[in-house]
Amino acid sequence: MAQLLDGKEISKVLKEEIKEEVKRWKEQGVNPKLAVVLVGDDPASVVYAKSKQKVSDSLGIDFELTVLPADSSEESILALIDSLNANPDVHGIMIELPLPKHISKERVMAAVRPDKDVDGVHPINRGYILSGEEGLFPATPESCIEIMLRSGVEIAGKHVVIVGRGETVGKPLVFLILKHNATVTICHSRTPDLGAFTRQADIIVAAVGKAKLVKKDMVKPGAIVVDAGINEIPGGICGDVDFEEVKEVASLISPVPGGVGSLTTALIMKNVLKGITLQRKEGQ
């Protein structure tokens, strides 16, 4: 029976560390601040924005939410981002998605300064992931690594099979995990006989967005299974791993909810603090 990779407990530790770092910055006269931009009134986006405000408040990070009407022009959104980029009191910028259909997501996300891009989606930050340089990186792939490292998992030398090649998790995770000296195989929806690959894995990271895709017979006994999926099912949510089945053969497994997702907001806040350091290097 697998032991849990407990994201909730790790998140508590992370948040205490962040509080201490916020305190140190404030002692130096810097008040860390996150600015969130919400265009329209998408219900899920409103909930996410409020949850980030709650976490920010609990960590001592200043929070500024700007809500623009759904019919706002792209130019007005870009002008707002320009003003936040130029404001030395703002250390992190986040654009809540989805944006209204008449707005170019690519243009808006690329307008955020790379050293304030706490979502880690700017093309320059993508390049830093590839090159191994320091930048701001997306929270979910970082969470996959953090939940393992803080649970005592040795990644170096392990064969990691990532199921999913999406822009949000799969692709960035390949290069982030390579930095930890793993051997990486990436599978996706066109991979024939997925189980033939996953059964070779010391570590499986599931991030494909298909409920309970990874079954017991696809997992090598004693493997570590990290579930980065989140899917709505009748009665709640589940991951990409059939948790009840797979926990019988894995040595460690992350649940959904309570696993990887529990760390993401804390790691976004950590990016706000990392942004301060990067901005100081740039001479702001």
Side-chain angles (χ1 to χ4, degrees), residues 33-79:
K33 182 173 183 178
L34 172 64
V36 173
V37 177
L38 174 60
V39 185
D41 55 1
D42 177 74
S45 298
V46 172
V47 170
Y48 292 145
K50 286 182 177 176
S51 72
K52 289 184 191 85
Q53 180 160 17
K54 190 176 176 182
V55 174
S56 293
D57 292 346
S58 72
L59 299 176
I61 293 174
D62 291 348
F63 184 92
E64 177 184 302
L65 174 64
T66 303
V67 182
L68 298 175
D71 60 357
S72 297
S73 68
E74 192 170 295
E75 287 68 30
S76 65
I77 297 165
L78 294 173

mmCIF file of all heavy atoms in Angstrom, residues 33-79:
data_model
loop_
_atom_site.group_PDB
_atom_site.id
_atom_site.type_symbol
_atom_site.label_atom_id
_atom_site.label_comp_id
_atom_site.label_asym_id
_atom_site.label_seq_id
_atom_site.Cartn_x
_atom_site.Cartn_y
_atom_site.Cartn_z
ATOM 1 N N LYS A 33 4.245 42.554 -3.465
ATOM 2 C CA LYS A 33 2.878 42.821 -3.944
ATOM 3 C C LYS A 33 2.587 42.042 -5.218
ATOM 4 O O LYS A 33 3.396 42.021 -6.148
ATOM 5 C CB LYS A 33 2.705 44.323 -4.209
ATOM 6 C CG LYS A 33 1.295 44.706 -4.662
ATOM 7 C CD LYS A 33 1.149 46.208 -4.742
ATOM 8 C CE LYS A 33 -0.267 46.620 -5.110
ATOM 9 N NZ LYS A 33 -0.415 48.088 -5.132
ATOM 10 N N LEU A 34 1.413 41.423 -5.255
ATOM 11 C CA LEU A 34 0.902 40.710 -6.427
ATOM 12 C C LEU A 34 -0.283 41.480 -6.998
ATOM 13 O O LEU A 34 -1.208 41.835 -6.267
ATOM 14 C CB LEU A 34 0.452 39.295 -6.042
ATOM 15 C CG LEU A 34 -0.286 38.485 -7.115
ATOM 16 C CD1 LEU A 34 0.616 38.208 -8.318
ATOM 17 C CD2 LEU A 34 -0.818 37.165 -6.538
ATOM 18 N N ALA A 35 -0.247 41.737 -8.306
ATOM 19 C CA ALA A 35 -1.372 42.384 -8.998
ATOM 20 C C ALA A 35 -2.036 41.360 -9.919
ATOM 21 O O ALA A 35 -1.369 40.710 -10.720
ATOM 22 C CB ALA A 35 -0.882 43.578 -9.812
ATOM 23 N N VAL A 36 -3.334 41.211 -9.769
ATOM 24 C CA VAL A 36 -4.096 40.261 -10.584
ATOM 25 C C VAL A 36 -5.077 41.045 -11.458
ATOM 26 O O VAL A 36 -5.747 41.964 -10.988
ATOM 27 C CB VAL A 36 -4.856 39.246 -9.697
ATOM 28 C CG1 VAL A 36 -5.773 38.366 -10.539
ATOM 29 C CG2 VAL A 36 -3.868 38.377 -8.921
ATOM 30 N N VAL A 37 -5.122 40.668 -12.733
ATOM 31 C CA VAL A 37 -6.022 41.317 -13.690
ATOM 32 C C VAL A 37 -7.096 40.321 -14.105
ATOM 33 O O VAL A 37 -6.787 39.213 -14.562
ATOM 34 C CB VAL A 37 -5.250 41.808 -14.938
ATOM 35 C CG1 VAL A 37 -6.209 42.418 -15.959
ATOM 36 C CG2 VAL A 37 -4.173 42.814 -14.535
ATOM 37 N N LEU A 38 -8.350 40.713 -13.930
ATOM 38 C CA LEU A 38 -9.489 39.875 -14.297
ATOM 39 C C LEU A 38 -10.343 40.634 -15.302
ATOM 40 O O LEU A 38 -10.797 41.748 -15.023
ATOM 41 C CB LEU A 38 -10.301 39.538 -13.035
ATOM 42 C CG LEU A 38 -11.610 38.776 -13.198
ATOM 43 C CD1 LEU A 38 -11.392 37.427 -13.862
ATOM 44 C CD2 LEU A 38 -12.289 38.581 -11.842
ATOM 45 N N VAL A 39 -10.531 40.048 -16.472
ATOM 46 C CA VAL A 39 -11.346 40.685 -17.512
ATOM 47 C C VAL A 39 -12.653 39.914 -17.630
ATOM 48 O O VAL A 39 -12.655 38.728 -17.982
ATOM 49 C CB VAL A 39 -10.614 40.704 -18.874
ATOM 50 C CG1 VAL A 39 -11.440 41.482 -19.905
ATOM 51 C CG2 VAL A 39 -9.219 41.318 -18.735
ATOM 52 N N GLY A 40 -13.763 40.575 -17.318
ATOM 53 C CA GLY A 40 -15.058 39.908 -17.346
ATOM 54 C C GLY A 40 -15.397 39.303 -15.996
ATOM 55 O O GLY A 40 -14.763 39.606 -14.976
ATOM 56 N N ASP A 41 -16.401 38.427 -15.995
ATOM 57 C CA ASP A 41 -16.884 37.876 -14.714
ATOM 58 C C ASP A 41 -17.039 36.358 -14.786
ATOM 59 O O ASP A 41 -17.985 35.788 -14.237
ATOM 60 C CB ASP A 41 -18.214 38.538 -14.323
ATOM 61 C CG ASP A 41 -19.266 38.425 -15.417
ATOM 62 O OD1 ASP A 41 -18.981 37.809 -16.477
ATOM 63 O OD2 ASP A 41 -20.384 38.952 -15.217
ATOM 64 N N ASP A 42 -16.096 35.694 -15.479
ATOM 65 C CA ASP A 42 -16.119 34.234 -15.506
ATOM 66 C C ASP A 42 -16.137 33.715 -14.070
ATOM 67 O O ASP A 42 -15.256 34.054 -13.271
ATOM 68 C CB ASP A 42 -14.877 33.714 -16.234
ATOM 69 C CG ASP A 42 -14.814 32.191 -16.226
ATOM 70 O OD1 ASP A 42 -15.579 31.561 -16.964
ATOM 71 O OD2 ASP A 42 -13.992 31.653 -15.448
ATOM 72 N N PRO A 43 -17.149 32.904 -13.698
ATOM 73 C CA PRO A 43 -17.304 32.500 -12.286
ATOM 74 C C PRO A 43 -16.073 31.812 -11.706
ATOM 75 O O PRO A 43 -15.662 32.115 -10.575
ATOM 76 C CB PRO A 43 -18.513 31.550 -12.318
ATOM 77 C CG PRO A 43 -19.254 31.901 -13.561
ATOM 78 C CD PRO A 43 -18.230 32.371 -14.541
ATOM 79 N N ALA A 44 -15.465 30.907 -12.468
ATOM 80 C CA ALA A 44 -14.289 30.191 -11.956
ATOM 81 C C ALA A 44 -13.134 31.163 -11.726
ATOM 82 O O ALA A 44 -12.420 31.067 -10.720
ATOM 83 C CB ALA A 44 -13.873 29.093 -12.926
ATOM 84 N N SER A 45 -12.951 32.116 -12.641
ATOM 85 C CA SER A 45 -11.863 33.090 -12.507
ATOM 86 C C SER A 45 -12.050 33.961 -11.276
ATOM 87 O O SER A 45 -11.085 34.299 -10.584
ATOM 88 C CB SER A 45 -11.774 33.970 -13.756
ATOM 89 O OG SER A 45 -11.484 33.194 -14.895
ATOM 90 N N VAL A 46 -13.300 34.336 -11.013
ATOM 91 C CA VAL A 46 -13.600 35.145 -9.820
ATOM 92 C C VAL A 46 -13.219 34.369 -8.558
ATOM 93 O O VAL A 46 -12.582 34.905 -7.639
ATOM 94 C CB VAL A 46 -15.094 35.549 -9.792
ATOM 95 C CG1 VAL A 46 -15.446 36.208 -8.469
ATOM 96 C CG2 VAL A 46 -15.424 36.481 -10.959
ATOM 97 N N VAL A 47 -13.571 33.098 -8.527
ATOM 98 C CA VAL A 47 -13.243 32.245 -7.369
ATOM 99 C C VAL A 47 -11.729 32.139 -7.204
ATOM 100 O O VAL A 47 -11.194 32.274 -6.101
ATOM 101 C CB VAL A 47 -13.873 30.837 -7.532
ATOM 102 C CG1 VAL A 47 -13.344 29.878 -6.475
ATOM 103 C CG2 VAL A 47 -15.393 30.925 -7.445
ATOM 104 N N TYR A 48 -11.003 31.896 -8.314
ATOM 105 C CA TYR A 48 -9.542 31.765 -8.249
ATOM 106 C C TYR A 48 -8.900 33.053 -7.752
ATOM 107 O O TYR A 48 -7.969 33.027 -6.951
ATOM 108 C CB TYR A 48 -8.969 31.399 -9.631
ATOM 109 C CG TYR A 48 -9.332 30.019 -10.113
ATOM 110 C CD1 TYR A 48 -9.566 29.762 -11.459
ATOM 111 C CD2 TYR A 48 -9.441 28.952 -9.216
ATOM 112 C CE1 TYR A 48 -9.895 28.493 -11.907
ATOM 113 C CE2 TYR A 48 -9.779 27.684 -9.659
ATOM 114 C CZ TYR A 48 -10.007 27.455 -11.006
ATOM 115 O OH TYR A 48 -10.341 26.197 -11.439
ATOM 116 N N ALA A 49 -9.393 34.184 -8.255
ATOM 117 C CA ALA A 49 -8.823 35.470 -7.841
ATOM 118 C C ALA A 49 -9.027 35.692 -6.347
ATOM 119 O O ALA A 49 -8.106 36.117 -5.636
ATOM 120 C CB ALA A 49 -9.461 36.609 -8.636
ATOM 121 N N LYS A 50 -10.222 35.363 -5.856
ATOM 122 C CA LYS A 50 -10.500 35.546 -4.423
ATOM 123 C C LYS A 50 -9.657 34.614 -3.572
ATOM 124 O O LYS A 50 -9.198 34.982 -2.480
ATOM 125 C CB LYS A 50 -11.999 35.334 -4.151
ATOM 126 C CG LYS A 50 -12.864 36.500 -4.622
ATOM 127 C CD LYS A 50 -14.328 36.280 -4.307
ATOM 128 C CE LYS A 50 -15.156 37.494 -4.733
ATOM 129 N NZ LYS A 50 -16.607 37.284 -4.526
ATOM 130 N N SER A 51 -9.434 33.393 -4.061
ATOM 131 C CA SER A 51 -8.625 32.443 -3.289
ATOM 132 C C SER A 51 -7.174 32.923 -3.208
ATOM 133 O O SER A 51 -6.516 32.777 -2.182
ATOM 134 C CB SER A 51 -8.698 31.034 -3.880
ATOM 135 O OG SER A 51 -7.980 30.953 -5.094
ATOM 136 N N LYS A 52 -6.675 33.530 -4.287
ATOM 137 C CA LYS A 52 -5.309 34.072 -4.270
ATOM 138 C C LYS A 52 -5.213 35.247 -3.301
ATOM 139 O O LYS A 52 -4.199 35.414 -2.610
ATOM 140 C CB LYS A 52 -4.885 34.489 -5.668
ATOM 141 C CG LYS A 52 -4.648 33.312 -6.599
ATOM 142 C CD LYS A 52 -4.147 33.758 -7.951
ATOM 143 C CE LYS A 52 -4.173 32.593 -8.932
ATOM 144 N NZ LYS A 52 -5.450 32.397 -9.585
ATOM 145 N N GLN A 53 -6.273 36.058 -3.262
ATOM 146 C CA GLN A 53 -6.273 37.177 -2.320
ATOM 147 C C GLN A 53 -6.213 36.671 -0.879
ATOM 148 O O GLN A 53 -5.467 37.205 -0.049
ATOM 149 C CB GLN A 53 -7.520 38.042 -2.520
ATOM 150 C CG GLN A 53 -7.572 39.223 -1.554
ATOM 151 C CD GLN A 53 -8.486 40.323 -2.012
ATOM 152 O OE1 GLN A 53 -9.323 40.123 -2.885
ATOM 153 N NE2 GLN A 53 -8.329 41.497 -1.440
ATOM 154 N N LYS A 54 -6.954 35.613 -0.605
ATOM 155 C CA LYS A 54 -6.972 35.033 0.745
ATOM 156 C C LYS A 54 -5.581 34.528 1.137
ATOM 157 O O LYS A 54 -5.102 34.777 2.248
ATOM 158 C CB LYS A 54 -7.993 33.890 0.785
ATOM 159 C CG LYS A 54 -8.283 33.357 2.178
ATOM 160 C CD LYS A 54 -9.376 32.296 2.109
ATOM 161 C CE LYS A 54 -9.609 31.684 3.495
ATOM 162 N NZ LYS A 54 -10.640 30.625 3.439
ATOM 163 N N VAL A 55 -4.933 33.830 0.209
ATOM 164 C CA VAL A 55 -3.588 33.311 0.494
ATOM 165 C C VAL A 55 -2.601 34.458 0.648
ATOM 166 O O VAL A 55 -1.773 34.467 1.566
ATOM 167 C CB VAL A 55 -3.125 32.328 -0.608
ATOM 168 C CG1 VAL A 55 -1.688 31.902 -0.385
ATOM 169 C CG2 VAL A 55 -4.025 31.096 -0.638
ATOM 170 N N SER A 56 -2.679 35.442 -0.259
ATOM 171 C CA SER A 56 -1.790 36.615 -0.158
ATOM 172 C C SER A 56 -1.914 37.274 1.208
ATOM 173 O O SER A 56 -0.902 37.571 1.857
ATOM 174 C CB SER A 56 -2.134 37.644 -1.241
ATOM 175 O OG SER A 56 -1.849 37.156 -2.520
ATOM 176 N N ASP A 57 -3.143 37.505 1.634
ATOM 177 C CA ASP A 57 -3.386 38.143 2.939
ATOM 178 C C ASP A 57 -2.768 37.336 4.069
ATOM 179 O O ASP A 57 -2.147 37.884 4.984
ATOM 180 C CB ASP A 57 -4.889 38.316 3.184
ATOM 181 C CG ASP A 57 -5.532 39.346 2.252
ATOM 182 O OD1 ASP A 57 -4.775 40.108 1.614
ATOM 183 O OD2 ASP A 57 -6.777 39.361 2.149
ATOM 184 N N SER A 58 -2.915 36.019 3.998
ATOM 185 C CA SER A 58 -2.409 35.156 5.075
ATOM 186 C C SER A 58 -0.881 35.143 5.139
ATOM 187 O O SER A 58 -0.293 34.852 6.178
ATOM 188 C CB SER A 58 -2.935 33.729 4.910
ATOM 189 O OG SER A 58 -2.302 33.077 3.818
ATOM 190 N N LEU A 59 -0.229 35.452 3.994
ATOM 191 C CA LEU A 59 1.234 35.423 3.937
ATOM 192 C C LEU A 59 1.863 36.798 4.113
ATOM 193 O O LEU A 59 3.089 36.925 4.157
ATOM 194 C CB LEU A 59 1.686 34.835 2.593
ATOM 195 C CG LEU A 59 1.249 33.396 2.299
ATOM 196 C CD1 LEU A 59 1.672 32.987 0.895
ATOM 197 C CD2 LEU A 59 1.823 32.426 3.324
ATOM 198 N N GLY A 60 1.017 37.828 4.191
ATOM 199 C CA GLY A 60 1.541 39.186 4.337
ATOM 200 C C GLY A 60 1.940 39.839 3.033
ATOM 201 O O GLY A 60 2.643 40.853 3.018
ATOM 202 N N ILE A 61 1.492 39.265 1.901
ATOM 203 C CA ILE A 61 1.785 39.823 0.583
ATOM 204 C C ILE A 61 0.639 40.741 0.163
ATOM 205 O O ILE A 61 -0.531 40.348 0.225
ATOM 206 C CB ILE A 61 1.989 38.695 -0.456
ATOM 207 C CG1 ILE A 61 3.257 37.898 -0.131
ATOM 208 C CG2 ILE A 61 2.052 39.249 -1.882
ATOM 209 C CD1 ILE A 61 3.477 36.676 -1.003
ATOM 210 N N ASP A 62 0.972 41.971 -0.234
ATOM 211 C CA ASP A 62 -0.056 42.905 -0.698
ATOM 212 C C ASP A 62 -0.700 42.358 -1.971
ATOM 213 O O ASP A 62 -0.028 41.729 -2.793
ATOM 214 C CB ASP A 62 0.548 44.290 -0.980
ATOM 215 C CG ASP A 62 1.002 44.995 0.293
ATOM 216 O OD1 ASP A 62 0.644 44.526 1.392
ATOM 217 O OD2 ASP A 62 1.735 45.997 0.185
ATOM 218 N N PHE A 63 -1.986 42.630 -2.115
ATOM 219 C CA PHE A 63 -2.745 42.088 -3.246
ATOM 220 C C PHE A 63 -3.579 43.197 -3.865
ATOM 221 O O PHE A 63 -4.264 43.943 -3.160
ATOM 222 C CB PHE A 63 -3.653 40.949 -2.756
ATOM 223 C CG PHE A 63 -4.412 40.244 -3.846
ATOM 224 C CD1 PHE A 63 -3.896 39.120 -4.461
ATOM 225 C CD2 PHE A 63 -5.666 40.693 -4.259
ATOM 226 C CE1 PHE A 63 -4.585 38.442 -5.460
ATOM 227 C CE2 PHE A 63 -6.377 40.036 -5.256
ATOM 228 C CZ PHE A 63 -5.832 38.907 -5.856
ATOM 229 N N GLU A 64 -3.518 43.297 -5.184
ATOM 230 C CA GLU A 64 -4.319 44.294 -5.901
ATOM 231 C C GLU A 64 -5.052 43.603 -7.038
ATOM 232 O O GLU A 64 -4.426 43.027 -7.929
ATOM 233 C CB GLU A 64 -3.388 45.379 -6.460
ATOM 234 C CG GLU A 64 -4.096 46.443 -7.293
ATOM 235 C CD GLU A 64 -3.104 47.430 -7.898
ATOM 236 O OE1 GLU A 64 -2.355 48.060 -7.139
ATOM 237 O OE2 GLU A 64 -3.068 47.535 -9.148
ATOM 238 N N LEU A 65 -6.373 43.643 -6.999
ATOM 239 C CA LEU A 65 -7.185 43.043 -8.058
ATOM 240 C C LEU A 65 -7.804 44.149 -8.897
ATOM 241 O O LEU A 65 -8.472 45.035 -8.373
ATOM 242 C CB LEU A 65 -8.289 42.166 -7.453
ATOM 243 C CG LEU A 65 -9.311 41.578 -8.437
ATOM 244 C CD1 LEU A 65 -8.636 40.621 -9.415
ATOM 245 C CD2 LEU A 65 -10.438 40.865 -7.684
ATOM 246 N N THR A 66 -7.569 44.087 -10.212
ATOM 247 C CA THR A 66 -8.210 45.020 -11.146
ATOM 248 C C THR A 66 -9.186 44.222 -11.994
ATOM 249 O O THR A 66 -8.789 43.266 -12.670
ATOM 250 C CB THR A 66 -7.175 45.707 -12.056
ATOM 251 O OG1 THR A 66 -6.214 46.384 -11.241
ATOM 252 C CG2 THR A 66 -7.857 46.709 -12.975
ATOM 253 N N VAL A 67 -10.458 44.593 -11.934
ATOM 254 C CA VAL A 67 -11.495 43.919 -12.717
ATOM 255 C C VAL A 67 -11.924 44.852 -13.850
ATOM 256 O O VAL A 67 -12.349 45.980 -13.614
ATOM 257 C CB VAL A 67 -12.716 43.543 -11.844
ATOM 258 C CG1 VAL A 67 -13.754 42.802 -12.686
ATOM 259 C CG2 VAL A 67 -12.296 42.690 -10.657
ATOM 260 N N LEU A 68 -11.763 44.351 -15.078
ATOM 261 C CA LEU A 68 -12.159 45.126 -16.250
ATOM 262 C C LEU A 68 -13.415 44.511 -16.870
ATOM 263 O O LEU A 68 -13.613 43.294 -16.794
ATOM 264 C CB LEU A 68 -11.033 45.130 -17.286
ATOM 265 C CG LEU A 68 -9.708 45.778 -16.864
ATOM 266 C CD1 LEU A 68 -8.657 45.582 -17.956
ATOM 267 C CD2 LEU A 68 -9.906 47.260 -16.579
ATOM 268 N N PRO A 69 -14.266 45.336 -17.515
ATOM 269 C CA PRO A 69 -15.464 44.788 -18.164
ATOM 270 C C PRO A 69 -15.103 43.800 -19.265
ATOM 271 O O PRO A 69 -14.035 43.892 -19.887
ATOM 272 C CB PRO A 69 -16.156 46.024 -18.758
ATOM 273 C CG PRO A 69 -15.529 47.203 -18.086
ATOM 274 C CD PRO A 69 -14.154 46.796 -17.667
ATOM 275 N N ALA A 70 -15.992 42.851 -19.513
ATOM 276 C CA ALA A 70 -15.750 41.819 -20.533
ATOM 277 C C ALA A 70 -15.578 42.406 -21.926
ATOM 278 O O ALA A 70 -14.926 41.803 -22.783
ATOM 279 C CB ALA A 70 -16.894 40.811 -20.525
ATOM 280 N N ASP A 71 -16.155 43.590 -22.172
ATOM 281 C CA ASP A 71 -16.045 44.195 -23.505
ATOM 282 C C ASP A 71 -14.860 45.164 -23.610
ATOM 283 O O ASP A 71 -14.774 45.959 -24.551
ATOM 284 C CB ASP A 71 -17.346 44.899 -23.898
ATOM 285 C CG ASP A 71 -17.732 46.016 -22.924
ATOM 286 O OD1 ASP A 71 -17.008 46.203 -21.909
ATOM 287 O OD2 ASP A 71 -18.742 46.700 -23.170
ATOM 288 N N SER A 72 -13.935 45.101 -22.664
ATOM 289 C CA SER A 72 -12.747 45.976 -22.714
ATOM 290 C C SER A 72 -11.947 45.709 -23.984
ATOM 291 O O SER A 72 -11.863 44.566 -24.459
ATOM 292 C CB SER A 72 -11.848 45.720 -21.499
ATOM 293 O OG SER A 72 -12.511 46.053 -20.307
ATOM 294 N N SER A 73 -11.343 46.749 -24.506
ATOM 295 C CA SER A 73 -10.510 46.584 -25.702
ATOM 296 C C SER A 73 -9.169 45.970 -25.315
ATOM 297 O O SER A 73 -8.707 46.107 -24.178
ATOM 298 C CB SER A 73 -10.276 47.936 -26.378
ATOM 299 O OG SER A 73 -9.457 48.751 -25.558
ATOM 300 N N GLU A 74 -8.565 45.305 -26.279
ATOM 301 C CA GLU A 74 -7.232 44.727 -26.050
ATOM 302 C C GLU A 74 -6.235 45.825 -25.687
ATOM 303 O O GLU A 74 -5.367 45.633 -24.819
ATOM 304 C CB GLU A 74 -6.788 43.974 -27.295
ATOM 305 C CG GLU A 74 -5.574 43.091 -27.082
ATOM 306 C CD GLU A 74 -5.322 42.179 -28.270
ATOM 307 O OE1 GLU A 74 -6.167 41.302 -28.544
ATOM 308 O OE2 GLU A 74 -4.278 42.374 -28.926
ATOM 309 N N GLU A 75 -6.369 46.980 -26.332
ATOM 310 C CA GLU A 75 -5.449 48.093 -26.080
ATOM 311 C C GLU A 75 -5.535 48.563 -24.630
ATOM 312 O O GLU A 75 -4.519 48.883 -24.012
ATOM 313 C CB GLU A 75 -5.753 49.271 -27.023
ATOM 314 C CG GLU A 75 -5.335 49.056 -28.468
ATOM 315 C CD GLU A 75 -6.157 47.967 -29.174
ATOM 316 O OE1 GLU A 75 -7.345 47.777 -28.819
ATOM 317 O OE2 GLU A 75 -5.592 47.308 -30.066
ATOM 318 N N SER A 76 -6.753 48.590 -24.074
ATOM 319 C CA SER A 76 -6.893 49.059 -22.684
ATOM 320 C C SER A 76 -6.269 48.062 -21.702
ATOM 321 O O SER A 76 -5.685 48.450 -20.685
ATOM 322 C CB SER A 76 -8.371 49.293 -22.340
ATOM 323 O OG SER A 76 -9.102 48.071 -22.360
ATOM 324 N N ILE A 77 -6.365 46.766 -22.026
ATOM 325 C CA ILE A 77 -5.749 45.742 -21.174
ATOM 326 C C ILE A 77 -4.224 45.850 -21.249
ATOM 327 O O ILE A 77 -3.535 45.810 -20.219
ATOM 328 C CB ILE A 77 -6.219 44.333 -21.593
ATOM 329 C CG1 ILE A 77 -7.729 44.211 -21.388
ATOM 330 C CG2 ILE A 77 -5.482 43.256 -20.794
ATOM 331 C CD1 ILE A 77 -8.359 43.013 -22.087
ATOM 332 N N LEU A 78 -3.715 46.032 -22.461
ATOM 333 C CA LEU A 78 -2.260 46.162 -22.637
ATOM 334 C C LEU A 78 -1.741 47.424 -21.949
ATOM 335 O O LEU A 78 -0.639 47.420 -21.373
ATOM 336 C CB LEU A 78 -1.898 46.184 -24.123
ATOM 337 C CG LEU A 78 -2.171 44.875 -24.887
ATOM 338 C CD1 LEU A 78 -1.947 45.080 -26.383
ATOM 339 C CD2 LEU A 78 -1.305 43.737 -24.370
ATOM 340 N N ALA A 79 -2.527 48.491 -21.962
ATOM 341 C CA ALA A 79 -2.128 49.730 -21.286
ATOM 342 C C ALA A 79 -2.055 49.519 -19.776
ATOM 343 O O ALA A 79 -1.134 50.020 -19.109
ATOM 344 C CB ALA A 79 -3.110 50.852 -21.621
#
